[in-house]
Amino acid sequence: MTGHLDTITRYYDGCSTGDVELMRATLTDDVVHWFLAPNPDSAAVRGGEHLARYWRKVHHLIGAVWIVDHVLGGTDEAVIEWTMFWTPPRSDRRVATRGAEWFAFAADGRISEIRSYYRQHDDRDTELDGFPYTERGYSRHGAEHSAVHTPAEETAS
């Protein structure tokens, strides 16, 4: 599982910093990222280059930072819970969107498919009602890291 967790956290570090090359190194050329409708822009994104550029754009638009909070894995698949901290347009308040994703991996260990499950709202946090996130080591407002993942810092380029 360590290999898949490393690949997933590097992928999210790329998403959180807008680093296209870092993301590309974790993705197959024909990766497909599926999104839950009716979230904004819920159409699937296909292709490693396209997906990496998509997340770079999202990161720059809303200052998104993703944290891997929990992981379960097998030989060629993994399921994670994550939190995306972001700032909605025309707002100065950070919002936490919590979700889960199912990853499939190619034989070379790169991500070949992502199925994303979450509900995104501009005006409020979305999370499980009453779940003890803090007690279980998940990320939270004021602590954008978890017991599993501390995101990479964005560097000036």
Side-chain angles (χ1 to χ4, degrees):
M1 183 57 221
T2 302
H4 290 329
L5 178 57
D6 179 61
T7 301
I8 292 167
T9 56
R10 284 187 300 116
Y11 166 71
Y12 280 114
D13 286 346
C15 293
S16 296
T17 60
D19 186 332
V20 169
E21 292 310 311
L22 181 56
M23 285 181 271
R24 284 290 296 123
T26 67
L27 302 168
T28 61
D29 292 339
D30 61 348
V31 66
V32 179
H33 191 307
W34 302 95
F35 293 92
L36 188 65
N39 285 321
D41 300 318
S42 60
V45 177
R46 299 170 187 274
E49 184 73 23
H50 187 200
L51 182 57
R53 292 184 184 284
Y54 173 88
W55 288 125
R56 178 180 65 185
K57 178 179 146 185
V58 168
H59 167 72
H60 289 302
L61 285 172
I62 61 174
V65 173
W66 286 263
I67 311 298
V68 177
D69 288 311
H70 190 75
V71 63
L72 298 172
T75 335
D76 57 357
E77 295 182 308
V79 178
I80 67 158
E81 290 177 294
W82 52 258
T83 304
M84 175 181 65
F85 294 96
W86 60 288
T87 305
R90 297 169 299 286
S91 176
D92 58 356
R93 188 177 83 78
R94 295 286 275 172
V95 174
T97 299
R98 298 196 189 266
E101 288 184 335
W102 191 293
F103 287 83
F105 295 88
D108 66 2
R110 291 183 299 152
I111 300 164
S112 60
E113 182 178 71
I114 305 168
R115 298 189 305 268
S116 191
Y117 301 91
Y118 65 94
R119 183 71 171 119
Q120 184 173 346
H121 291 282
D122 282 356
D123 59 345
R124 65 185 179 273
D125 293 348
T126 54
E127 59 188 16
L128 298 173
D129 190 18
F131 187 80
Y133 289 105
T134 300
E135 293 84 356
R136 294 208 184 166
Y138 285 57
S139 56
R140 63 187 186 285
H141 286 288
E144 293 186 8
H145 58 83
S146 72
V148 174
H149 178 215
T150 299
E153 295 290 322
E154 192 165 359
T155 58
S157 27

